[in-house]
Amino acid sequence: MNGQRRTRTGPVLGWMFLAMAILSPGWGRAARAAAFAPIALHPENPHYFLWRDKPTVLITSAEHYGAVLNRAFDYVKYLDTLQANGFNMTRTFSGAYCEPPGAFNIEKNTLAPARGDLLCPWARSDTPGYANGGNKFDLTKWDPEYFRRLSDFVAQAGRRGIVVEMVLFCPFYEDSMWELSPMNVRNNVNDIGTMPRTEVYTLKHPKLLAIQEAMVRRIVEALEGFDNLYYEICNEPYFGGVTMDWQHHIAETIASAESRFAHRHLIAQNIANKAQVVENPSPLVSIFNFHYAKPPIAVAQNYHWDRVIGDDETGFAGDDRVKPYRLEGWDFIIAGGAVFNNLDYSFAVGHEDGSARINAPGGGGPELWHQLAILRDFINGFDFIRMRPDDSVLTSDLPDGTTARALVQPGVAYAIYINGNNATRLTVDLPSGAYKAEWIDTKTGQIADAQSFTHDSGLHPLDVPPYTDDIALRIVSAQRPRQGLLFESDFETEDLKGWKTSGNAPRVTGVLARAGRQAMQTSLDRDKDKVSYRTEVSGPGADVGKEYWYGFSILLPEDYQPDGIWEIVAQWHGVPDFDIGEDWRNPVMALSTTNGRWGWVSRWDAKRNTFESGTRQYGGTQHYDLGRYRKGVWTDWVVHVKWSYGRDGFLQVWKEGDKVIDQDGPNAFNDERGPYFKMGLYKGWADADRPSDAVSRRILYHDEFRMGGAEAGYDDVAPGPR
């Protein structure tokens, strides 16, 4: 029996996948904002994201930032292509900046719209003369077409599981780019923008700064309700005269605009090309982005800040369109990064499926997509929230020009990557235990070699199979399988197999999960549901006199308000002996969430008939206050019980790995049949005349239920992956 604190796949914010309804006509901004929380830093490991209940790494190969501002670009087809390849991120510019054709030697540049095709936040005026066709802009008016397109782009991305990095500004590298900006006095009717391009992003010009602030606020307001979004202040602010105080001011503007929102979005800052030590970062910034971050020393340099570190632009690596970007992605993610965006020039107007011939200083296309998908699957095959970069576990001498790095959960999991040729042996420092090692071909995803071994601790040598350019290694602990289970339900099938409905029927949902892909969602609406007080499932029964283990996990969403009317979320119910005059009784044991606190009750009675006096009278009742509940996180429960109405019974309960109940003696009724388990929601709303308290509707989630016999143990039933 293991009473040690258990690790988990990570707490989760309550997320309701309502994008289709939220974005339909008739839904207001306030309704959207209340629906779900945006992508966030993971509370257990802020080097990674938490999004839609899952620990998240963003890996993609995405277009050159013109999907919204370039009217001719078919972003739906583009997003379909990203989704089909399993990519979960795209980066887009606001339209305050665009490029002329041929800039940076990019052919078919999505960031260089054709004449008349630029969309930006500001509306066109009635005055002709914009440098790239059409009328000039009025910086005091917003363009409804732009905001419809922007909102739909983010919505379409969200429906496809894609996060949008919304880049608000970009420096003007050359005069030809400044000459295309609506903020340039030549392109607007407001007599604003007379300064040189190197002073656009400073605090020197209050009128222009006010225009920039207003644009930020308008975009932030328009995108309030989206969960698949974060903001980057400015692309590559280390060029073009962008000042740090201006960047901090824009971050403050974003935060101020969101101050009244129910949920706030993350803010990213582009730090440098390649690497740089961050000093005195703004507390408003949660993501440090780098470009061309190879080797990935930027991660180690800034890991101590406990923020996400990203490599969100690649390029300028020669004529090879695949290899250098595969190497860069693997190196960066295994170094501990959480964002990798390959800048992919195979996407262009008319080629939104990525079919364009690349004539630009970067890579992309289907071959690279396949290889980046291997990286995605590799990292997602680990519980990476528990892992930290630690190259010290690798002690081998490698050939010149070859590197190895490791992402480690000591004794549990090791993600290792070798970049460079001719490595023949790798020595890994491992604790004692049984392990399985698999060498992964980074170009095909095939297992190049595999072995299982038992290790006494210390250095363990592994022969590297033949490879070219790079290879990855997965080492995981070979734990014994769960034993002694009598019933197991992880809700990975679409039905409630093995359960019986009690009251209204819960449903299986893919919105979130404690482990795997799905969980059970319980919804109870007092005013609308057929049964106003119960949505539950009934499961396995037990025998009095025998010993059992139970494990399960419960998530109470962010909007789960404390309520004074009792509510049971898990229970063990006795079966009355009706033939001798017994009737239904309170649960033998129950877990509740009444008044914002976890509560537990244990009841018992040794009498053959609890109603023998004519009324219900128990032999004893014990209540436990287990503390305030946390919302938006999975709470794991493990119960060890010997059901008995005598002195030989016992009850042990662990909450999140901590033993919170240790009760000896009786805990059951003297029934012919033992208690059976139920979970869902049973609430004191049966009396229609009793008014509601704080709520009249509840939603919560259950997952990872297991029941074991006496031969099982804590680890056999505890929620989460082994």
Side-chain angles (χ1 to χ4, degrees), residues 599-638:
W600 195 283
V601 61
S602 171
R603 300 181 178 91
W604 58 89
D605 187 23
K607 299 190 301 294
R608 187 69 185 87
N609 185 348
T610 304
F611 292 79
E612 67 180 17
S613 65
T615 60
R616 182 178 60 197
Q617 291 185 346
Y618 301 122
T621 301
Q622 178 67 55
H623 292 272
Y624 298 90
D625 183 345
L626 303 185
R628 296 192 64 83
Y629 57 62
R630 295 171 63 202
K631 298 185 291 184
V633 302
W634 286 102
T635 301
D636 293 343
W637 299 91
V638 172

Side-chain angles (χ1 to χ4, degrees), residues 528-546:
K528 296 181 180 179
D529 285 341
K530 182 177 181 180
V531 180
S532 64
Y533 56 93
R534 187 194 301 275
T535 301
E536 290 181 297
V537 289
S538 300
D543 294 328
V544 174
K546 292 186 179 180

Side-chain angles (χ1 to χ4, degrees), residues 233-353:
I233 299 165
C234 185
N235 178 69
E236 297 191 343
Y238 31 90
F239 295 110
V242 183
T243 63
M244 188 61 72
D245 55 357
W246 177 88
Q247 293 182 68
H248 288 172
H249 181 77
I250 296 301
E252 290 163 2
T253 302
I254 298 169
S256 174
E258 292 199 322
S259 61
R260 61 186 175 81
F261 292 178
H263 303 293
R264 301 176 188 180
H265 294 89
L266 298 177
I267 299 174
Q269 184 175 6
N270 193 177
I271 303 299
N273 284 355
K274 296 189 180 295
Q276 180 177 303
V277 176
V278 177
E279 297 180 355
N280 301 316
S282 167
L284 299 174
V285 171
S286 299
I287 304 167
F288 298 147
N289 279 335
F290 294 83
H291 290 180
Y292 324 118
K294 54 183 182 180
I297 59 175
V299 180
Q301 288 175 329
N302 298 292
Y303 202 78
H304 62 284
W305 289 115
D306 286 340
R307 306 184 196 189
V308 160
I309 302 173
D311 180 1
D312 69 340
E313 181 173 302
T314 64
F316 301 99
D319 294 333
D320 192 324
R321 307 304 187 193
V322 177
K323 172 184 168 182
Y325 308 111
R326 179 188 75 246
L327 302 182
E328 184 174 342
W330 275 91
D331 253 341
F332 192 82
I333 295 300
I334 304 305
V339 179
F340 181 73
N341 171 40
N342 174 67
L343 177 48
D344 193 322
Y345 294 106
S346 71
F347 295 106
V349 171
H351 298 275
E352 291 86 351
D353 59 356

Side-chain angles (χ1 to χ4, degrees), residues 270-503:
N270 193 177
I271 303 299
N273 284 355
K274 296 189 180 295
Q276 180 177 303
V277 176
V278 177
E279 297 180 355
N280 301 316
S282 167
L284 299 174
V285 171
S286 299
I287 304 167
F288 298 147
N289 279 335
F290 294 83
H291 290 180
Y292 324 118
K294 54 183 182 180
I297 59 175
V299 180
Q301 288 175 329
N302 298 292
Y303 202 78
H304 62 284
W305 289 115
D306 286 340
R307 306 184 196 189
V308 160
I309 302 173
D311 180 1
D312 69 340
E313 181 173 302
T314 64
F316 301 99
D319 294 333
D320 192 324
R321 307 304 187 193
V322 177
K323 172 184 168 182
Y325 308 111
R326 179 188 75 246
L327 302 182
E328 184 174 342
W330 275 91
D331 253 341
F332 192 82
I333 295 300
I334 304 305
V339 179
F340 181 73
N341 171 40
N342 174 67
L343 177 48
D344 193 322
Y345 294 106
S346 71
F347 295 106
V349 171
H351 298 275
E352 291 86 351
D353 59 356
S355 60
R357 182 182 67 87
I358 297 176
N359 186 11
E367 183 180 358
L368 180 59
W369 302 344
H370 171 70
Q371 294 179 8
L372 291 180
I374 296 167
L375 168 60
R376 175 203 65 212
D377 292 345
F378 182 81
I379 190 64
N380 286 327
F382 292 93
D383 188 6
F384 53 80
I385 291 301
R386 312 292 165 205
M387 304 175 81
R388 300 291 188 277
D390 184 6
D391 298 348
S392 69
V393 302
L394 307 176
T395 60
S396 300
D397 292 329
L398 296 171
D400 291 342
T402 297
T403 60
R405 62 188 75 257
L407 198 61
V408 174
Q409 182 183 4
V412 178
Y414 300 76
I416 299 170
Y417 177 64
I418 297 176
N419 182 344
N421 287 302
N422 301 319
T424 58
R425 173 165 287 201
L426 188 71
T427 302
V428 186
D429 192 356
L430 299 171
S432 59
Y435 296 93
K436 181 179 181 180
E438 294 179 334
W439 292 94
I440 309 298
D441 187 320
T442 58
K443 293 176 281 297
T444 68
Q446 298 297 310
I447 297 174
D449 193 17
Q451 59 177 284
S452 298
F453 58 91
T454 301
H455 181 60
D456 289 334
S457 84
L459 302 179
H460 184 84
L462 292 165
D463 291 330
V464 182
Y467 70 98
T468 302
D469 298 325
D470 61 332
I471 193 168
L473 171 63
R474 177 193 297 117
I475 302 176
V476 294
S477 174
Q479 289 275 10
R480 68 172 178 84
R482 298 182 190 270
Q483 297 180 352
L485 295 185
L486 304 175
F487 184 92
E488 183 174 15
S489 181
D490 57 9
F491 302 104
E492 292 305 296
T493 59
E494 296 300 324
D495 56 16
L496 295 169
K497 183 178 181 180
W499 300 95
K500 294 181 179 179
T501 298
S502 180

Side-chain angles (χ1 to χ4, degrees), residues 554-577:
I554 299 176
L555 182 139
L556 309 177
E558 291 284 358
D559 61 355
Y560 199 91
Q561 300 179 48
D563 190 272
I565 297 178
W566 60 263
E567 47 196 9
I568 293 173
V569 295
Q571 58 172 302
W572 289 258
H573 215 291
V575 181
D577 294 318

